[in-house]
Amino acid sequence: MPNITVELLRGRTVEQRRAFAEAVAHSAVELLGARRQDVRMVFNEITPDVVANGGVLASEDESRAGVVAALADGS
Amino acid sequence: MPNITVELLRGRTVEQRRAFAEAVAHSAVELLGARRQDVRMVFNEITPDVVANGGVLASEDESRAGVVAALADGS
Amino acid sequence: MPNITVELLRGRTVEQRRAFAEAVAHSAVELLGARRQDVRMVFNEITPDVVANGGVLASEDESRAGVVAALADGS
Amino acid sequence: MPNITVELLRGRTVEQRRAFAEAVAHSAVELLGARRQDVRMVFNEITPDVVANGGVLASEDESRAGVVAALADGS
Amino acid sequence: MPNITVELLRGRTVEQRRAFAEAVAHSAVELLGARRQDVRMVFNEITPDVVANGGVLASEDESRAGVVAALADGS
Amino acid sequence: MPNITVELLRGRTVEQRRAFAEAVAHSAVELLGARRQDVRMVFNEITPDVVANGGVLASEDESRAGVVAALADGS
């Protein structure tokens, strides 16, 4: 531990996951006093049609259209 | 918050997810006093071969055959 | 299933949990076609000092002070 | 309950999941005093590129290459 | 991995948790081909007033009164 | 999103949680392209007698005695 689960919209690259996992492991060692080998992270990638905010699916949410489009483009 | 996770068998339509997300957000506001914008829901769809009840996989469970078949039919 | 987890700030009464569990079970039967006996819900109550939004702990977040105070009052 | 979630690398067969679900249900009844019909298990299968140990993705982790390769072979 | 989460009603003894953790680790090695040192288990103990089945809190569920009473007695 | 859950042994101070939440939110913005206001983190603090590695409870695991003792001391 820490055992970290990251729920996020699909569309990040493996480079992004690699960099984030590395940065968070570093923060866990520096700030939480964890042993590096004990830091575990799992990415749980989801799609916009299975998440809702305020009762509205993200795939149909105008206020999140920019976020969803950017990830779909791989940008 | 509330941050709500709904684990369910795959096979529901987007219309069903939309209606359920809307209904639960309404209940959270009315009954829990939540702010609507704070209600978050994620559907975690699973298949019958990765869930077991009483030690029996749902895909091989006679007592659940009706449920599984109905979802596979999209009915 | 559905197997529903509700992460929320501590402070709701048992009456609120009872009413919400009942309402969501009803919605699951009506809208998702679930069997009533298969609907399961767990409340995971947390405190404001273990949740952060935008990198700020809720216990120190001015924009959420109203929500946190209302729950602490049991109101 | 118990409601058991098993996060594991993809690659196990349905026979392996069946045997494990059966064995754990048996242990829950014998050792925890659970009712057999209340024991529920969900397998959450993940791929090596979404899990990191010590800040390193399992898909790029030399120390886990043997585990990952064995599962990819279905062996 | 496997990374196993066991959600269960509070009331089991440390001896029960120890025996169950040992038995499941053994099953994971024998049946899933896991490395013993990779098997991780977390018990998430909950109380009957935060779990509902079929829309009814377990603390108010006549059909589960026996289970709840047995655990409260530590028996 | 990302919606981040951090399971860790109890014993960290609020200052440690504050610093870690801030650092991870920063990394999520910089490395994953998240909007800062969308980054959510929940700490799930557990005790050594409810977690097992390799089938051995952490509270009884000689190889982890140093980690457990340091957290119990608040050091």
Side-chain angles (χ1 to χ4, degrees), chain B residues 32, chain C residues 4 6 8 12-25 36 39-45, chain D residues 1, chain E residues 9 46-68:
Chain B
L32 297 178
Chain C
I4 302 171
V6 182
L8 79 176
R12 271 73 178 204
T13 63
V14 69
E15 287 77 18
Q16 288 181 297
R17 290 200 300 275
R18 181 193 299 138
F20 187 67
E22 161 59 29
V24 174
R36 189 178 177 90
V39 185
R40 184 172 176 277
M41 177 177 287
V42 173
F43 294 93
N44 182 12
E45 299 182 301
Chain D
M1 284 186 284
Chain E
L9 284 178
I46 63 179
T47 54
D49 60 335
V50 296
V51 58
N53 295 281
V56 179
L57 293 173
S59 53
E60 305 175 344
D61 187 344
E62 292 300 318
S63 74
R64 287 169 197 267
V67 176
V68 170

Side-chain angles (χ1 to χ4, degrees), chain A residues 4 6 14-31 35-37 39-43, chain D residues 51-58 60, chain F residues 20 23-24 27-28 31-32:
Chain A
I4 301 170
V6 182
V14 68
E15 287 76 18
Q16 288 181 296
R17 288 200 301 275
R18 181 193 299 138
F20 187 68
E22 161 59 30
V24 174
H26 180 79
S27 295
V29 171
E30 294 296 312
L31 302 175
R35 299 191 300 189
R36 189 178 178 90
Q37 71 266 35
V39 184
R40 185 171 175 276
M41 178 178 285
V42 173
F43 294 92
Chain D
V51 58
N53 295 282
V56 180
L57 293 174
E60 306 175 343
Chain F
F20 187 67
V24 174
S27 295
L31 302 175
L32 298 179

Side-chain angles (χ1 to χ4, degrees), chain E residues 17-18 36 39-41 43, chain F residues 7 49-52 54 60:
Chain E
R17 290 199 300 277
R18 182 193 299 137
R36 191 178 177 88
V39 184
R40 185 173 175 275
M41 177 177 287
F43 294 92
Chain F
E7 193 176 63
D49 59 335
V50 296
V51 58
E60 305 175 344

Side-chain angles (χ1 to χ4, degrees), chain B residues 7 49-52 54 60, chain D residues 17-18 36 39-41 43:
Chain B
E7 192 176 65
D49 60 335
V50 296
V51 58
E60 305 175 344
Chain D
R17 288 199 300 277
R18 181 192 301 138
R36 190 178 177 88
V39 184
R40 184 172 175 275
M41 179 178 283
F43 293 93

Side-chain angles (χ1 to χ4, degrees), chain B residues 54-72:
Chain B
V56 180
L57 293 174
S59 54
E60 305 175 344
D61 188 344
E62 291 300 318
S63 73
R64 289 171 194 268
V67 176
V68 170
L71 288 167

Side-chain angles (χ1 to χ4, degrees), chain C residues 7 49-52 54 60, chain F residues 17-18 36 39-41 43:
Chain C
E7 191 176 64
D49 59 335
V50 297
V51 58
E60 304 176 343
Chain F
R17 290 200 300 275
R18 182 192 300 137
R36 189 177 179 90
V39 184
R40 184 172 176 277
M41 177 177 286
F43 293 92

Side-chain angles (χ1 to χ4, degrees), chain B residues 6 8 12 16-17 19-21 23-24 27 43 67 70-71 75, chain C residues 1-4 20-41, chain E residues 53-56:
Chain B
V6 182
L8 78 178
R12 271 74 178 205
Q16 287 181 297
R17 289 199 301 274
F20 187 68
V24 175
S27 294
F43 294 93
V67 176
L71 288 167
S75 63
Chain C
M1 284 185 286
N3 184 39
I4 302 171
F20 187 67
E22 161 59 29
V24 174
H26 180 79
S27 295
V29 171
E30 293 297 311
L31 302 174
L32 297 179
R35 300 191 300 189
R36 189 178 177 90
Q37 70 267 32
D38 289 344
V39 185
R40 184 172 176 277
M41 177 177 287
Chain E
N53 295 281
V56 179

